[in-house]
Amino acid sequence: MRSLRIPVSAALIVVALVLQVAVFPHVAWEGIVPNFCLLIVVAAALVRGPAFAATLGFFAGLMLDLAPPADHVAGRWALALVVVGFVAGLMRQDTRMPATTVVATVAAASFVGTSVYALSGLVLGDAVGSMGEVLRVILVALLWDVLLTPLVLPGVMRLLTRLEPASAR
């Protein structure tokens, strides 16, 4: 089962990316869609820890940076999801986590990831809009991610745990 961890994680990221860039733009709230790639990275972080999640975050972010209709400097989402994977992985516990802790971790990861993405845009001169607009985007993205947490994370975490039950949790 150990050999399936990487292909299954890659497939999860591809499905998340397709949902994020092809399906959910049709139901975007104020032009903002949920970050399914971030949710997959957080699930991996809570099951596998910071090293695996940061690596997965890099590849998920790079795919997100290069997927059309990307209109920003490549590498911004890769950086943001590496940070998210590492920070969320530090929350991993050896015991079963309560649902409130998982939701709080997703909320914190969403805030950190979207903030890193937005601040890197400001540093690179790639951002458009005022600081108020940036804060609105961060809050709407956080709300999207928290609302979808109960629908996405339990199944993904269960799948990743089944792939390698001895080292998970």
Side-chain angles (χ1 to χ4, degrees):
M1 290 289 251
R2 182 179 174 93
S3 63
L4 291 177
R5 180 178 53 173
I6 292 173
V8 168
S9 298
L12 287 170
I13 290 298
V14 169
V15 168
L17 182 68
V18 169
L19 286 172
Q20 190 168 331
V21 300
V23 176
F24 267 81
H26 300 292
V27 293
W29 182 20
E30 297 186 22
I32 302 160
V33 297
N35 195 334
F36 282 102
C37 291
L38 181 136
L39 293 175
I40 301 299
V41 170
V42 171
L46 294 176
V47 173
R48 297 283 168 230
F52 180 77
T55 305
L56 184 64
F58 173 75
F59 288 108
L62 193 58
M63 288 174 59
L64 193 55
D65 282 326
L66 300 176
D71 61 350
H72 58 275
V73 174
R76 288 176 54 198
W77 274 120
L79 172 65
L81 292 183
V82 165
V83 172
V84 162
F86 183 77
V87 171
L90 295 177
M91 291 298 298
R92 180 176 183 228
Q93 300 173 358
D94 291 331
T95 59
R96 188 163 172 83
M97 292 178 62
T100 54
T101 304
V102 173
V103 172
T105 302
V106 168
S110 179
F111 179 79
V112 167
T114 310
S115 296
V116 167
Y117 175 79
L119 292 174
S120 67
L122 288 173
V123 169
L124 296 171
D126 196 22
V128 287
S130 66
M131 193 54 125
E133 291 174 0
V134 169
L135 289 175
R136 181 184 59 79
V137 168
I138 290 170
L139 291 176
V140 171
L142 187 144
L143 185 60
W144 260 124
D145 294 338
V146 167
L147 287 174
L148 290 174
T149 295
L151 301 174
V152 176
L153 258 63
V156 172
M157 289 174 70
R158 192 174 11 256
L159 175 64
L160 291 174
T161 301
R162 287 181 140 204
L163 288 176
E164 205 172 336
S167 67
R169 295 199 192 222

